[in-house]
Amino acid sequence: MEVIIQEVLNLVKKKMEEQGGYDVDAYRQYVNETIEYFIEKGKISEEDNTEFIENRLMEIWPQVEKNISSGY
């Protein structure tokens, strides 16, 4: 599960850079979009605990925010 979480996080960070959304609301939106994208592509299924994935990613928001200010 941690591998999938890391893959989602990497894509979320890329979206943040490309789209310029750097606050918690944008982060949450990118997390949700990326989870949906992974479901569509078959990387995760609807049976996987997507709520756990989302919650885990939201838990690490403070680290992501800190990295944003230091340039990743």
Side-chain angles (χ1 to χ4, degrees), residues 17-60:
E17 289 176 15
E18 290 174 353
Q19 298 179 24
Y22 297 109
D23 62 13
V24 70
D25 292 328
Y27 177 76
R28 184 182 324 274
Q29 178 184 339
Y30 299 147
V31 165
N32 290 329
E33 288 174 3
T34 304
I35 289 171
E36 287 299 316
Y37 173 76
F38 274 48
I39 290 171
E40 288 173 17
K41 295 298 178 186
K43 285 193 152 227
I44 56 177
S45 70
E46 304 233 2
E47 287 78 41
D48 286 324
N49 192 345
T50 56
E51 186 176 336
F52 171 80
I53 296 170
E54 180 181 352
N55 289 340
R56 180 73 183 100
L57 288 163
M58 292 312 298
E59 286 172 7
I60 60 177

Side-chain angles (χ1 to χ4, degrees), residues 10-24:
N10 290 342
L11 190 52
V12 167
K13 287 179 178 179
K14 185 175 180 181
K15 286 183 176 205
M16 291 174 80
E17 289 176 15
E18 290 174 353
Q19 298 179 24
Y22 297 109
D23 62 13
V24 70

